[in-house]
Amino acid sequence: MKRVALRIALGLAFAALTAMAGEVVRLTDIDGVDHGRLDSAPGRATAVFFILSDCPISNQLAPEINRICTDYSGRGVRCYLAYVDPEVSADGIRRHQRDFSYDCCTPLHDASRALTEAAGATITPEAAIFSPTGELLYRGRINDLYAGLGKKRREPTEHDVRRALDEILAGKAVSRPRTQAIGCYVPPKEL
Amino acid sequence: MRPLALLALCASTVAAAEPPSFTKDVAPILFENCMSCHREGEAAPFPLTSYSEAKKRGALISAVTEARYMPPWHAAPADVRYRDERRLSEEQIGTLKAWVEAGMPEGDPGRLPAPPEFAEGWQLGEPDLVVRMPEAFEVPAEGPDLYRSFAIPLPAGGDRWVRAIEFRPSARGASHHALFFADPSGEALEADSADGGPGFAGMRELRRSERGGGLGGWAVGGAPQMLPDGLARPLPAGSALVVQMHFHPSGKIEREQASLGLYFAPEAPQRTLTGVQTPPLFGRLAGIDIPAGESRYVVKDSFELPIAVDAYGVGGHAHYLCSEMKMTATLPGGEVKTLLWIDRWDFAWQERYYFREPLRLPAGTVLETELIYDNSAANPANPHRPPRHVAWGRGSEDEMGSVSLEVLAAKESELAELRAAQRRQIRQAIANRFLSAISGGSR
């Protein structure tokens, strides 16, 4: 009981702090539909994939992002694609979704960078996994298909996002909460 | 120190500390080295033709140039200069980095240099013959890199001489490089129709290039080039054109139906372009036999030129495990010239490097090749996990290795001597293999 009270108190304190810092992040899709707050989300976890429509490494991982989201969507994981290009239009995002057969998840345009900053993402593609209270549980590469720029493996040997999701769903701590993503950089907010 | 001198010193310090700007410092580098591909309709994924386009990619530009991943150029500095060298200097790389660190200032718009002009359509002018792959090949959305060959029938005619082939892929996001071969045997057309779908798998056309049917190649970033000095490569009557392509799956299904523009010489060239490959036959007789886990397996071979030659270009071939290759020429006086050094071999870049000026190598020059292979698990390109023992073979998961110098006999009448010496070298290599086999050695 004491523990629960402590958790509630901590939770309230955390909410108050983030509210004070003005860091409430809402998930709003490209059609303007509000999917709620990042820090009071339904389900077991929220996975966000930061992408650029003209980053080759980001695009090469499109089929795997699709599969991850399809595989975990029935298990309480919500998936979003966050486009970080300040110049991309909603139509440009829709076209990219069609071109790369993205049918897994809701696309967002993170023009304000609120989500990118909440995750601390700097690369595309990069994944972030948040708890339902908005705690960052994992950030980094999707898998190790790339050992470095221009150093592509034949196939990945480490599936970091899948492993993190499996651990979260099993109620365990994420064993490698941060990894280095390889790809393009998140462009400046203002061009 | 006198006040004036102090002032001058201060001024120069300020000038040195002034960060690079886009218009003055960065645009000239990008225009000259990046824009041929990084513009609308070309192979690169995004344009780099304006300030906002460069600012958007600033951090990436700095990272990929510092890692020497871009511009794509894999030859380390050698004792010869190459044509169309796409290698940035340390100073240029430093400028790009300093510009990003300074917050990517634009600078005075009035200082922006005029962007280079590019020809529309065929870069070498109207070709003598344009052919297209008969059917489109579907490149899958993902999976390992793919190698596939396509046989294109050519209109009937006599022997022809090819000065250049300009290549225009349709799947720009997925097509990485192409090698061209003449096949007078009909085998390639048969293989193409026997294998389901357009083209055929594997690298069997290397067998043809071992016999000398190579017609050059294309790689992302490379500009098409005419052979110099009226030189040309033979395209015998009745040949099919074989195009071996390398694809990187791009994340979506792409369709490749490339067009090729062929440029012919009006008549047979007076001098014969020929290859000196060391070790010969792509290393078939070099005893390549790499233990699993071996991180530095070295193969060496040499060949003494019996006649004087003019060298035009150099290129290497190996598969995934090769990490480094080098060819040097030791001149009769003892001077050693590095002709090619690829210190980070990448299977994806099978390029040929042409010298700015033909290089005269006197009779008695010794060509030496060194190939280094990394068959450890730490090599991300290693196709086997865990590593496996790998020997010579034509499959891409086998290994090969050689460096080829493209030469002309200084005196055409002496060409036969060069070819006789090459045959002797092969006979000697066969004898060595035989001796090593009967003495029980593995090499």
Side-chain angles (χ1 to χ4, degrees):
Chain A
M1 195 64 190
K2 251 186 189 171
R3 249 190 210 169
V4 174
L6 186 68
R7 270 197 174 176
I8 290 171
L10 278 174
L12 283 173
F14 180 72
L17 273 173
T18 50
M20 263 182 348
E23 283 172 5
V24 171
V25 179
R26 301 202 76 92
L27 301 164
T28 309
D29 71 23
I30 55 169
D31 297 313
V33 177
D34 184 6
H35 295 256
R37 287 169 65 138
L38 183 63
D39 61 0
S40 70
R44 310 278 304 273
T46 302
V48 184
F49 295 89
F50 297 90
I51 61 169
L52 270 176
S53 57
D54 55 8
C55 171
I57 298 184
S58 182
N59 285 335
Q60 280 174 28
L61 285 224
E64 174 62 358
I65 294 174
N66 252 328
R67 275 192 302 265
I68 290 173
C69 294
T70 308
D71 292 351
Y72 288 88
S73 66
R75 301 165 64 186
V77 176
R78 298 190 311 159
C79 267
Y80 295 92
L81 286 173
Y83 286 79
V84 296
D85 184 343
E87 296 178 317
V88 74
S89 66
D91 277 345
I93 291 176
R94 285 187 198 100
R95 199 163 45 242
H96 184 251
Q97 293 270 301
R98 273 197 308 277
D99 281 355
F100 286 85
S101 308
Y102 266 123
D103 50 14
C104 60
C105 24
T106 309
L108 317 170
H109 184 201
D110 193 32
S112 73
R113 295 292 162 79
L115 195 49
T116 309
E117 282 160 18
T122 54
I123 303 286
T124 69
E126 188 161 16
I129 306 173
F130 296 95
S131 74
T133 56
E135 187 193 347
L136 183 63
L137 302 176
Y138 174 81
R139 183 190 69 230
R141 65 189 186 189
I142 292 157
N143 57 35
D144 70 346
L145 182 62
Y146 278 85
L149 287 167
K151 290 184 188 151
K152 189 183 173 191
R153 290 180 212 277
R154 182 158 281 223
E155 49 197 37
T157 61
E158 298 280 339
H159 296 270
D160 303 85
V161 166
R162 286 177 181 272
R163 185 180 52 219
L165 287 172
D166 288 339
E167 286 167 347
I168 292 164
L169 293 178
K172 296 183 196 157
V174 176
S175 53
R176 284 187 73 189
R178 299 288 183 273
T179 57
Q180 180 60 51
I182 304 287
C184 312
Y185 285 77
V186 171
K189 199 156 107 182
E190 316 269 337
L191 293 175
Chain B
M1 197 176 277
R2 290 166 55 183
L4 201 62
L6 192 65
L7 194 67
L9 188 69
C10 286
S12 74
T13 310
V14 168
E18 191 187 320
S21 74
F22 176 75
T23 55
K24 182 164 72 68
D25 308 287
V26 172
I29 299 174
L30 299 184
F31 287 0
E32 191 182 326
N33 299 283
C34 314
M35 207 179 134
S36 63
C37 294
H38 283 272
R39 63 193 164 100
E40 201 60 42
E42 289 303 317
F46 45 78
L48 289 175
T49 63
S50 69
Y51 172 59
S52 67
E53 286 166 359
K55 186 179 176 191
K56 190 167 174 180
R57 316 291 171 175
L60 185 62
I61 292 169
S62 178
V64 298
T65 53
E66 197 169 12
R68 291 201 179 276
Y69 172 54
M70 285 286 147
W73 183 261
H74 295 80
D79 294 315
V80 282
R81 297 300 302 273
Y82 304 110
R83 272 199 280 166
D84 293 323
E85 204 169 297
R86 300 184 303 272
R87 189 181 170 88
L88 297 184
S89 66
E90 291 299 329
E91 192 192 346
Q92 289 171 315
I93 293 169
T95 300
L96 295 171
K97 190 177 182 183
W99 176 64
V100 173
E101 283 168 355
M104 301 183 276
E106 181 174 12
D108 174 8
R111 295 195 71 157
L112 186 68
E117 283 182 26
F118 297 96
E120 293 278 321
W122 298 102
Q123 299 294 299
L124 295 175
E126 203 51 42
D128 297 308
L129 175 65
V130 175
V131 293
R132 192 171 182 219
M133 282 166 50
E135 288 174 85
F137 174 66
E138 202 167 88
V139 186
E142 65 176 337
D145 287 10
L146 209 74
Y147 294 83
R148 200 161 174 91
S149 299
F150 306 93
I152 304 175
L154 296 177
D159 288 347
R160 284 177 281 208
W161 299 89
V162 177
R163 294 194 62 208
I165 294 180
E166 187 168 335
F167 185 71
R168 294 171 127 193
S170 61
R172 291 222 172 250
S175 297
H176 187 273
H177 82 248
L179 299 172
F180 317 126
F181 304 89
D183 175 32
S185 73
E187 282 171 32
L189 283 169
E190 268 171 43
D192 200 323
S193 56
D195 198 321
F200 54 97
M203 303 192 171
R204 69 181 85 189
E205 68 292 336
L206 275 177
R207 222 169 285 186
R208 269 177 287 280
S209 83
E210 283 166 28
R211 296 203 299 258
L215 292 174
W218 164 88
V220 164
Q225 288 260 353
M226 289 280 184
L227 281 176
D229 302 347
L231 295 175
R233 297 186 172 101
L235 178 63
S239 291
L241 180 63
V242 181
V243 180
Q244 183 203 90
M245 288 197 72
H246 168 202
F247 299 104
H248 284 318
S250 71
K252 65 177 178 184
I253 292 169
E254 303 219 27
R255 293 167 65 79
E256 180 56 74
Q257 190 170 12
S259 299
L260 296 95
L262 281 73
Y263 299 82
F264 299 124
E267 55 192 358
Q270 300 299 307
R271 298 175 76 189
T272 309
L273 201 53
T274 190
V276 177
Q277 205 188 54
T278 308
L281 307 180
F282 292 97
R284 188 177 186 176
L285 303 168
I288 296 173
D289 189 55
I290 315 168
E294 169 76 53
S295 65
R296 195 181 158 86
Y297 180 85
V298 181
V299 171
K300 287 185 182 187
D301 192 57
S302 64
F303 177 71
E304 183 176 329
L305 292 170
I307 60 166
V309 300
D310 290 321
Y312 273 80
V314 65
H317 179 74
H319 294 170
Y320 292 104
L321 296 181
C322 185
S323 55
E324 191 175 331
M325 60 171 68
K326 193 178 216 174
M327 181 186 258
T328 59
T330 305
L331 307 186
E335 187 192 350
V336 180
K337 280 181 185 290
T338 297
L339 305 183
L340 178 71
W341 179 29
I342 298 180
D343 53 353
R344 285 183 289 176
W345 168 257
D346 180 344
F347 182 49
W349 295 92
Q350 311 269 339
E351 283 183 291
R352 195 152 273 282
Y353 301 87
Y354 288 98
F355 305 138
R356 282 195 192 167
E357 302 291 335
L359 176 70
R360 173 61 61 95
L361 296 172
T365 297
V366 177
L367 300 173
E368 280 175 283
T369 294
E370 183 176 81
L371 299 142
I372 301 173
Y373 299 85
D374 179 357
N375 193 12
S376 71
N379 177 3
N382 195 332
H384 304 120
R385 214 148 285 273
R388 268 193 252 157
H389 163 253
V390 170
W392 189 92
R394 287 194 175 85
S396 68
E397 296 182 15
D398 304 320
E399 261 309 333
M400 288 192 169
S402 64
V403 178
S404 307
L405 195 64
E406 240 179 310
V407 302
L408 295 176
K411 288 190 196 127
E412 183 74 11
S413 59
E414 293 179 345
L415 182 62
E417 271 182 67
L418 174 63
R419 296 205 160 140
Q422 288 177 289
R423 284 194 297 273
R424 278 198 301 278
Q425 185 197 22
I426 290 172
R427 279 200 300 272
Q428 187 62 53
I430 293 170
N432 291 348
R433 291 286 289 154
F434 179 70
L435 285 174
S436 110
I438 56 170
S439 70
S442 63
R443 293 193 62 187

